[in-house]
Amino acid sequence: MRHKLIEWFVTGSAVLLVVIYIVLNSSKLEYFKNTWVETGSGKAAPSVQLAIAGTQVYQQRLKASEIYDTKGLRQIYFMHLPKAVFARAHAETEDATLLYKQQEIPLSKTKNSAALLAVTRDERIYLLAEDELKYMMTVIWNERFQANNIVQCANLELCKSVAIKSKFWGPVQGPFLDTDFSPDRRGMPKGRWTMGPKTTLDIMSTKPQVISLQLNLLGVLADQELDFRGAVTRVQKPQIEAEPRNIGGKSLHPAAYVVSLDLKPGLNYLEIIYSSWEKPLTESANPLAAYLTSIVIREAE
Amino acid sequence: MTNYVLRNCQSLSLRIVSTGIFSFVHVTVVVLLAGVVFRYLNNVSVPLLSSLISVLIIFFCRGFRRPFIKPVRQCLADVFSRRDYFLYVITGLFIIQAVVLVGKVVWLPPHIWDVFVYHLPPVVEWFQQGAIPPALDTTVARMNGAPLGMSLLAYWFFIFFRDDVLVEMPMLLWALLLAPVSVAAMRQSGVSRVWSFKFAVLIFFLPIVIMQAVTVKDHLGLNVGFFAGLVFLSGFLKDRNHGYLLVAAAAFGLALGYKIAAPVHILVALSVFSVLLWFHPVAWPADKKQWQTLVKTTGLSALIILTISGYWYLRNFLVYGRLHGAYGLTLNEAGDGLVSDAGAIDTMLNKFGNFGVFRTNLSELLPRIFDYQYSYGTDLAGISGFGPQFAAFGLLGLVVAIGSVFNKRLRQQPAFLISTVAVLLFVALMFININANSYRILSFFPMILITYAGIQLFHSKFLDQKWARGLTNSIIALSITWCFLLLLPPQYTNPLRLKEFASLDHDARTSANYTSWFIRPRPEFYRLLDDIPVTEPIAYVDYRGSFSQGEVGIDTWQYLYMDRHWQRKLHALHLPDYFDCQENGQCQAGPALKPFLKENRVSLLSSCKINRCLKIKDDSLVEIVPGFYYFLGDR
């Protein structure tokens, strides 16, 4: 009888403990499922083939580089070719093409002839000799040096006479791939976060002038409206494609405003006042209002 | 050699375990000889020395050949003739899991932080220097204090291909060796072959084993080696075969060569063994001749241990004047020791007097054992990795193991030594270890206690009943399926990029491109690394302090800079020698920097340890991507 009781106790305990373990760890099943789904939704690295006079001479898989050009539109890639292959491609550039994503892309020599370049809609692919480093570093530095800004000018003169700064926006970030590790960054274009209830821009002008600023942004809420105060003479809201975009773990709403400003020499202000913004879930989180993707400065019409 | 040492041993599983251990010893001794003694370490000297030693072994042991294939075939035929379909299924899962693990070893690059910090960087140095120097130029104290026995095996698996494709194979081999070790422990205690097989497969599927099997860390090798050593010690108590002591010494020697904490393991094991030997009617020497044999075997065992692992402790003593080398040293930024701790023995004694650590560990025991607070991960942050099988069988084993001390029948079982050592060592380590990852070193605990539970269930006649067999099979099946499924996805990566990684060219499948630790904070830098010609050396700022919040780890993770063939040369720039830094991480390059870069033909400089970078100001340095600088000076 005692032996039977011990048996039942042991059996019951083992079953109970294993059930407790599995119930307590049931969230791991969800994690497993998500990992499986995410793995399945990834994409293989595309293959690039270099052909000279119709003959394939080199092949490589291209992984996302996450180094973008100045405007944050194209990723920059480097392919280091064996010296002999590079020399031949260099000598026969007119006959050389890159086969990439089922497209034949012509090659051109860079200005200093240190590399060959292929440009597609989303990529700039540099072909270099296998030990070339200096030119590669120059290309990256050059693109990134100019990339740390979301302000664009219609002409060089405007950029010299107008400078825009703010203490109320976040750092320039992005663009990020739609496969980025962090859901908060996934798929986000280049831009700066601004916070509610308002953002003040400091606009320094070297002379009196009338300009227009086009603010392209992604609002955090569908019914968000922006009001502008300061050196403002007129505000327009051009119609743009306004389908919400599910990026950065949020549904973001594209919008654009064109604000005409009458600038006096020296410091001018532009206040952007948001009708609504994201209510932060924690005290330390920021009350995000909009993601400014670009500010284009033009002379006023 | 196994047959020579074990002579009359009839146990197939013990012979397999012994062979595995001797193979690891062979590799260890060959690489140590070539690297330390001859200081000529490369892909010619290592195979040559290995062949030479093999020929000598074959010559000396030529009279001790015994068939191997036939007994294995007979054993398998015996097991599978029982028509136990459940056994067929779990054997199939075992084979599939082994194949998956081999695939992960081959396909995935090294991806665990300790591996980046101190397991592989020394191997790269050995490969590039063609020798094993006594100390390396680094502020990573563990590189000059830890016994690097597992790294010796990693070198062996690198040198034949000159590619890091198989550097993680040693731990997988240890994981596979765990199956025969478990079978041997159970067979020694009279458990049937079928049930030994089932429990061995269950133990192999422990999450802590599966996760660590695809790394080149040391915990699994330490604990499987330790378990194997215990099995041979208990075998000696049972049969008084002195050869068992030699194999146990080899296993303990390997364990001592893997981890600085291993002396605690061995001390506990030998203490319990000595007590049991004293009281044992069979093993205790009865006459002078037996005494002489025991003394000779003990001396030879000590020599074996010294040969396998002595180098690391001797090196520590000669270079740093203490057995644990640079461990516990407070280093300055140049890597020089400033303040040392109280010494290994004093520190240990202090810790044993501290019940606070023990109490905290005890209060965290159940949440850790049930694994529910955090996700599975090889670093076992906040979990134990003991899995459902420990909840079902291990805890039962623990209760019986504690009770066995008070039960004469249980005390006489060979497994008493193993279970007692496991419990005592677990308690001892609960006094010493307290951190989020402290259960990594405790994998011996579920291995041994599940084995012990299997032994007790078998001997209690519980498994004679059909319903009990069915229930036990069901729990085993559930546990194995759970572990198999949930540990199938690769870890520490971005699953969204896994397809991209898998499809990359061989040379681009590097740690830097794989690991989410790297591609999360500074993707462009790590993705750039394999675009940089391997002939270009990289200098990295080497420091232990932290200049910003959120910095991961105190040591530099060097391995991420490496290409798969370890061709790239790295240079450590000790912070105070080359930079003047403020508390906010803004640094000015010092006068020694440019001459150093020029002299060593270095154009590239990284100011980051892992996820945070110093900001360096100097006209001759251009920041290409955050934390990565190009040197404009004349080359």
Side-chain angles (χ1 to χ4, degrees):
Chain A
M1 183 64 189
R2 194 172 143 220
H3 186 69
K4 272 282 167 206
L5 270 176
I6 293 174
E7 261 183 17
W8 280 106
F9 178 74
V10 168
T11 311
S13 304
V15 171
L16 186 67
L17 287 168
V18 87
V19 168
I20 288 173
Y21 183 95
I22 286 172
V23 170
L24 285 173
N25 286 281
S26 54
S27 63
K28 289 187 172 71
L29 285 168
E30 185 69 15
Y31 176 78
F32 169 77
K33 199 182 101 190
N34 290 344
T35 306
W36 206 246
V37 170
E38 285 187 354
T39 304
S41 66
K43 289 176 199 148
S47 172
V48 186
Q49 287 132 32
L50 170 66
I52 301 174
T55 311
Q56 183 186 315
V57 292
Y58 189 75
Q59 182 177 352
Q60 186 182 321
R61 291 276 186 168
L62 279 192
K63 66 177 186 299
S65 72
E66 304 195 47
I67 295 174
Y68 286 83
D69 66 2
T70 307
K71 290 184 178 172
L73 296 176
R74 292 188 175 96
Q75 280 190 78
I76 298 172
Y77 294 89
F78 299 95
M79 280 173 66
H80 281 95
L81 307 176
K83 277 183 180 165
V85 174
F86 178 77
R88 195 179 154 205
H90 200 267
E92 301 172 42
T93 308
E94 292 78 21
D95 294 334
T97 53
L98 272 191
L99 186 63
Y100 181 60
K101 291 181 182 171
Q102 294 168 338
Q103 282 183 309
E104 274 202 5
I105 306 155
L107 291 170
S108 59
K109 286 185 183 133
T110 55
K111 276 182 190 167
N112 63 354
S113 292
L116 301 174
L117 174 64
V119 182
T120 71
R121 194 176 67 103
D122 299 320
E123 295 92 6
R124 281 170 63 183
I125 306 168
Y126 288 89
L127 282 70
L128 305 155
E130 60 191 346
D131 53 358
E132 175 60 50
L133 178 74
K134 194 173 180 180
Y135 185 72
M136 181 180 162
M137 294 293 120
T138 310
V139 169
I140 300 171
W141 178 79
N142 202 27
E143 297 288 352
R144 287 181 59 87
F145 179 72
Q146 296 175 47
N148 195 26
N149 204 342
I150 58 163
V151 179
Q152 298 162 18
C153 306
N155 61 57
L156 196 61
E157 192 57 39
L158 272 173
C159 261
K160 282 180 183 168
S161 63
V162 181
I164 302 177
K165 286 182 180 175
S166 178
K167 287 183 280 188
F168 299 95
W169 59 20
V172 175
Q173 56 183 37
F176 298 106
L177 298 175
D178 55 8
T179 52
D180 194 278
F181 194 85
S182 165
D184 294 346
R185 306 194 310 200
R186 209 166 281 163
M188 292 292 281
K190 191 169 95 171
R192 286 177 183 273
W193 277 109
T194 62
M195 277 152 278
K198 67 175 184 181
T199 304
T200 305
L201 304 186
D202 302 339
I203 304 171
M204 185 66 80
S205 177
T206 56
K207 59 183 183 186
Q209 57 185 326
V210 180
I211 62 164
S212 76
L213 295 185
Q214 178 167 335
L215 285 83
N216 297 309
L217 56 93
L218 296 163
V220 294
L221 295 165
D223 55 353
Q224 186 186 60
E225 290 294 331
L226 271 59
D227 192 14
F228 297 89
R229 287 183 198 157
V232 181
T233 56
R234 195 165 66 132
V235 177
Q236 290 173 288
K237 191 174 180 186
Q239 288 297 315
I240 58 163
E241 188 198 345
E243 283 298 308
R245 294 170 65 187
N246 286 315
I247 49 177
K250 296 177 168 59
S251 178
L252 295 173
H253 305 270
Y257 291 86
V258 178
V259 185
S260 299
L261 300 170
D262 187 2
L263 301 180
K264 60 183 191 299
L267 189 59
N268 302 266
Y269 296 101
L270 173 65
E271 272 187 2
I272 308 170
I273 299 157
Y274 306 95
S275 64
S276 55
W277 57 91
E278 199 175 72
K279 298 288 176 281
L281 295 172
T282 60
E283 272 185 30
S284 58
N286 291 316
L288 300 178
Y291 190 73
L292 276 176
T293 54
S294 65
I295 299 176
V296 184
I297 308 174
R298 294 194 182 90
E299 286 161 344
E301 289 169 7
Chain B
M1 188 168 173
T2 291
N3 295 327
Y4 175 78
V5 174
L6 295 183
R7 307 278 165 115
N8 301 320
C9 172
Q10 296 304 315
S11 164
L12 180 63
S13 49
L14 278 181
R15 281 161 56 202
I16 292 172
V17 173
S18 172
T19 306
I21 286 171
F22 286 147
S23 305
F24 287 125
V25 170
H26 174 84
V27 173
T28 304
V29 171
V30 164
V31 179
L32 271 177
L33 267 179
V36 177
V37 180
F38 300 125
R39 299 188 62 76
Y40 188 68
L41 191 66
N42 55 41
N43 62 343
V44 176
S45 67
V46 169
L48 203 66
L49 201 57
S50 170
S51 307
L52 195 67
I53 291 174
S54 301
V55 168
L56 288 175
I57 290 170
I58 290 167
F59 180 76
F60 281 113
C61 305
R62 64 188 182 282
F64 293 88
R65 291 183 65 183
R66 277 171 76 177
F68 178 73
I69 303 292
K70 200 177 163 189
V72 169
R73 204 183 291 156
Q74 276 173 350
C75 169
L76 291 175
D78 177 38
V79 168
F80 290 102
S81 64
R82 308 290 168 92
R83 300 215 172 270
D84 187 335
Y85 295 107
F86 173 75
L87 183 68
Y88 300 165
V89 172
I90 64 164
T91 306
L93 275 172
F94 174 77
I95 293 166
I96 293 169
Q97 181 67 74
V99 171
V100 167
L101 292 176
V102 170
K104 283 185 178 181
V105 164
V106 170
W107 208 257
L108 305 183
H111 54 278
I112 301 299
W113 73 359
D114 279 358
V115 170
F116 301 138
V117 175
Y118 75 101
H119 289 296
L120 283 182
V123 193
V124 175
E125 283 285 328
W126 301 341
F127 169 68
Q128 292 185 348
Q129 292 187 25
I132 299 178
L136 297 168
D137 178 25
T138 176
T139 56
V140 180
R142 283 177 284 182
M143 258 195 251
N144 290 324
L148 296 170
M150 192 62 78
S151 301
L152 294 173
L153 300 185
Y155 179 86
W156 172 272
F157 279 100
F158 173 83
I159 199 69
F160 293 104
F161 302 98
R162 289 190 169 226
D163 187 298
D164 70 3
V165 64
L166 289 183
V167 288
E168 291 171 320
M169 193 54 107
M171 283 277 269
L172 176 55
L173 294 180
W174 273 113
L176 292 171
L177 195 65
L178 177 59
V181 172
S182 313
V183 169
M186 282 186 269
R187 295 288 293 147
Q188 204 172 54
S189 291
V191 179
S192 72
R193 273 186 177 147
V194 170
W195 282 106
S196 302
F197 263 62
K198 287 179 184 176
F199 277 99
V201 173
L202 181 68
I203 292 165
F204 175 77
F205 270 92
L206 279 166
I208 194 170
V209 175
I210 300 289
M211 288 188 286
Q212 296 203 339
V214 291
T215 74
V216 67
K217 285 160 72 66
D218 40 28
H219 305 95
L220 193 58
L222 162 72
N223 286 323
V224 178
F226 178 64
F227 185 12
L230 289 178
V231 172
F232 280 99
L233 282 188
S234 67
F236 175 77
L237 289 179
K238 189 181 168 209
D239 300 342
R240 209 202 299 157
N241 182 338
H242 287 80
Y244 288 177
L245 288 184
L246 301 180
V247 187
F252 288 157
L254 288 169
L256 282 166
Y258 290 157
K259 199 83 188 153
I260 200 80
V264 179
H265 285 56
I266 309 303
L267 201 66
V268 173
L270 293 184
S271 302
V272 176
F273 174 70
S274 306
V275 172
L276 291 182
L277 185 64
W278 178 270
F279 290 107
H280 210 283
V282 176
W284 187 252
D287 53 36
K288 194 180 169 189
K289 196 180 166 197
Q290 284 184 5
W291 265 111
Q292 281 175 343
T293 313
L294 184 64
V295 170
K296 266 191 225 166
T297 315
T298 309
L300 194 55
S301 301
L303 193 67
I304 289 171
I305 291 178
L306 204 66
T307 308
I308 298 168
S309 61
Y311 166 72
W312 304 110
Y313 298 90
L314 198 65
R315 171 203 72 168
N316 286 348
F317 189 73
L318 292 177
V319 178
Y320 291 93
R322 37 201 247 147
L323 288 172
H324 53 317
Y327 256 114
L329 279 179
T330 302
L331 303 175
N332 69 8
E333 296 301 355
D336 301 325
L338 285 177
V339 185
S340 70
D341 57 17
I345 294 170
D346 285 350
T347 307
M348 199 72 80
L349 289 176
N350 284 339
K351 283 184 174 174
F352 278 115
N354 184 358
F355 274 90
V357 170
F358 182 71
R359 268 199 302 272
T360 312
N361 268 326
L362 214 53
S363 66
E364 288 179 4
L365 186 64
L366 282 179
R368 290 290 287 255
I369 280 177
F370 280 89
D371 289 334
Y372 64 90
Q373 291 180 316
Y374 298 92
S375 55
Y376 288 134
T378 311
D379 280 322
L380 299 167
I383 60 164
S384 65
F386 291 178
Q389 51 268 69
F390 184 77
F393 298 110
L395 289 174
L396 167 70
L398 176 62
V399 172
V400 183
I402 294 168
S404 67
V405 179
F406 310 101
N407 183 302
K408 192 178 175 188
R409 184 181 63 83
L410 294 177
R411 280 204 306 271
Q412 284 170 343
Q413 286 180 347
F416 178 68
L417 167 78
I418 301 172
S419 63
T420 310
V421 169
V423 174
L424 287 178
L425 182 60
F426 187 77
V427 172
L429 291 173
M430 296 276 270
F431 276 95
I432 303 170
N433 272 341
I434 183 159
N435 60 59
N437 315 108
S438 57
Y439 275 63
R440 290 180 301 191
I441 205 168
L442 300 175
S443 53
F444 67 88
F445 199 57
M447 293 171 195
I448 290 176
L449 288 181
I450 294 173
T451 301
Y452 194 61
I455 292 168
Q456 299 312 332
L457 284 174
F458 186 82
H459 285 300
S460 67
K461 308 291 179 195
F462 177 74
L463 297 172
D464 290 351
Q465 303 163 81
K466 197 177 174 188
W467 69 269
R469 279 200 304 275
L471 187 77
T472 309
N473 282 342
S474 303
I475 295 177
I476 291 176
L478 185 66
S479 303
I480 288 177
T481 311
W482 173 273
C483 298
F484 176 76
L485 277 179
L486 293 193
L487 300 171
L488 195 56
Q491 294 187 312
Y492 303 117
T493 189
N494 176 355
L496 289 166
R497 302 255 181 103
L498 202 55
K499 268 192 186 172
E500 183 198 57
F501 177 84
S503 63
L504 289 176
D505 297 322
H506 177 83
D507 283 358
R509 290 201 302 272
T510 59
S511 300
N513 273 331
Y514 173 82
T515 314
S516 58
W517 274 315
F518 301 145
I519 56 182
R520 192 163 17 183
R522 298 186 301 128
E524 58 282 73
F525 171 52
Y526 297 108
R527 295 194 153 250
L528 189 61
L529 273 173
D530 65 81
D531 286 335
I532 293 170
V534 292
T535 47
E536 285 295 334
I538 295 178
Y540 62 93
V541 183
D542 194 21
Y543 63 105
R544 281 172 64 85
S546 180
F547 289 90
S548 54
Q549 285 188 332
E551 183 140 19
V552 178
I554 53 167
D555 292 316
T556 308
W557 295 11
Q558 285 176 39
Y559 192 72
L560 66 98
Y561 298 111
M562 291 315 301
D563 58 291
R564 295 190 62 134
H565 311 292
W566 298 354
Q567 288 174 284
R568 179 169 291 133
K569 183 83 186 134
L570 298 181
H571 297 276
L573 294 171
H574 298 299
L575 194 76
D577 296 342
Y578 298 99
F579 302 96
D580 179 20
C581 294
Q582 296 167 3
E583 281 181 4
N584 61 2
Q586 302 276 339
C587 302
Q588 189 71 47
L593 182 67
K594 281 183 211 171
F596 177 87
L597 296 177
K598 278 182 194 172
E599 190 184 323
N600 292 286
R601 299 178 55 78
V602 177
S603 299
L604 300 168
L605 189 156
S606 166
S607 69
C608 316
K609 283 201 295 190
I610 306 145
N611 63 336
R612 296 283 187 274
C613 312
L614 299 173
K615 205 82 183 161
I616 300 173
K617 280 185 184 170
D618 191 277
D619 292 342
S620 62
L621 292 172
V622 177
E623 191 173 27
I624 300 298
V625 291
F628 195 50
Y629 294 83
Y630 182 66
F631 177 52
L632 297 171
D634 301 332
R635 298 188 62 202

